Amino acid sequence: MKGFYANTEVRQINRYELINTQLDILEALEDEVDFVVSPAYIFTRLRIPMKQMAESILRDLGDKRAYVNRARLDVEVINVLEEEANKYERDYWARPSTNMLLIKEDAIERFFTTNELPSDSCALLEAITSRTDSLEETHYYYSYDLSKLLTQQLRNKDNAKALPDTLDMVLVPVDVTTTTVSSSTTTITAVKHKQTISATAIRSANIEDDPMRLEVVYSGF
């Protein structure tokens, strides 16, 4: 990180060159790691194989109406600095966003322009959380429940052929404003693009040993 101090002679930076070694590092990680950065508006697109999923579900259910009971998507974060002492390291400023919005790609502009709030059918908001596995290792992630969104997608179409090949969604780092309703309850009043620096590195769906995955449980009636 480098500081630039304005004075009567230096007022702005017209060019900042990223050295090739940094680009090489990013390219080497392309198949294993994806990045979500603010405030540069660098997002990550998640492509859910909607048509393939629908064909499989509707084939199993026959004439029954589809209902997605559970659809959990865990987006694992792999650049969390756990120790407080690490705050003095060079890359501490680039820590992950506390809140991450998962939103339909075609709804991004409308959502932020009209000051919408998260909903199960369009935009899901989650804060970073953690769990400890059997080896006492800590994993950090955002966990999204897509069950209502996928149920809506399946029911809005007459059959799988009318569905798009993929449901394109985007991860967007955001700042969240809340209001206290009571001593134990808060409500979200605003969700805005994150304007402070954050860099969230997430496990890609292309990594071989443990890729990002979506677990779906469904039924029909």
Side-chain angles (χ1 to χ4, degrees):
M1 183 170 61
K2 186 173 182 59
F4 295 89
Y5 305 96
N7 55 39
T8 56
E9 296 179 355
V10 180
R11 300 186 60 116
Q12 68 181 35
I13 301 171
N14 294 322
R15 179 182 180 186
Y16 192 94
E17 184 175 352
L18 188 64
I19 60 176
N20 291 334
T21 54
Q22 295 296 324
L23 293 175
D24 292 341
I25 292 173
L26 294 179
E27 289 177 357
L29 294 173
E30 184 177 3
D31 291 336
E32 299 183 359
V33 179
D34 292 313
F35 297 92
V36 188
V37 181
S38 70
Y41 290 8
I42 297 176
F43 308 142
T44 288
R45 179 188 294 115
L46 302 182
R47 287 181 167 166
I48 299 173
M50 197 67 233
K51 187 173 183 178
Q52 180 183 359
M53 186 185 304
E55 289 175 344
S56 176
I57 292 175
L58 297 178
R59 181 176 60 249
D60 292 343
L61 296 180
D63 295 332
K64 294 181 179 179
R65 195 179 188 199
Y67 182 81
V68 178
N69 305 81
R70 182 176 183 270
R72 176 178 173 178
L73 175 67
D74 287 345
V75 178
E76 186 172 356
V77 180
I78 58 177
N79 65 324
V80 175
L81 295 175
E82 297 184 26
E83 300 297 332
E84 181 67 16
N86 288 338
K87 70 180 182 179
Y88 299 109
E89 291 186 2
R90 180 181 62 182
D91 296 330
Y92 182 75
W93 61 271
R95 50 194 180 277
S97 176
T98 300
N99 297 292
M100 190 71 71
L101 190 72
L102 178 63
I103 182 172
K104 290 181 179 178
E105 186 173 23
D106 58 9
I108 292 178
E109 183 176 356
R110 186 199 73 231
F111 181 91
F112 289 103
T113 300
T114 60
N115 299 317
E116 293 184 25
L117 295 177
S119 65
D120 292 333
S121 60
C122 176
L124 309 172
L125 176 67
E126 292 295 336
I128 191 170
T129 187
S130 64
R131 64 177 175 81
T132 303
D133 62 20
S134 58
L135 300 177
E136 299 299 320
E137 294 183 355
T138 303
H139 299 265
Y140 293 86
Y141 59 96
Y142 308 98
S143 185
Y144 300 95
D145 180 4
L146 302 179
S147 56
K148 291 184 179 180
L149 188 151
L150 294 182
T151 297
Q152 182 190 59
Q153 290 289 309
L154 291 171
R155 293 181 179 179
N156 280 349
K157 304 295 182 180
D158 294 331
N159 53 63
K161 293 182 181 180
L163 284 165
D165 290 342
T166 60
L167 173 61
D168 292 341
M169 304 194 72
V170 178
L171 290 168
V172 181
V174 293
D175 287 323
V176 179
T177 302
T178 60
T179 298
T180 301
V181 178
S182 64
S183 58
S184 59
T185 305
T186 60
T187 182
I188 296 173
T189 56
V191 176
K192 304 291 185 182
H193 280 291
K194 190 173 182 64
Q195 297 301 322
T196 53
I197 295 176
S198 73
T200 307
I202 62 174
R203 184 182 295 274
S204 169
N206 297 323
I207 192 170
E208 293 184 1
D209 59 344
D210 188 17
M212 182 193 304
R213 60 175 62 88
L214 174 63
E215 300 175 355
V216 178
V217 177
Y218 59 88
S219 60
F221 59 91

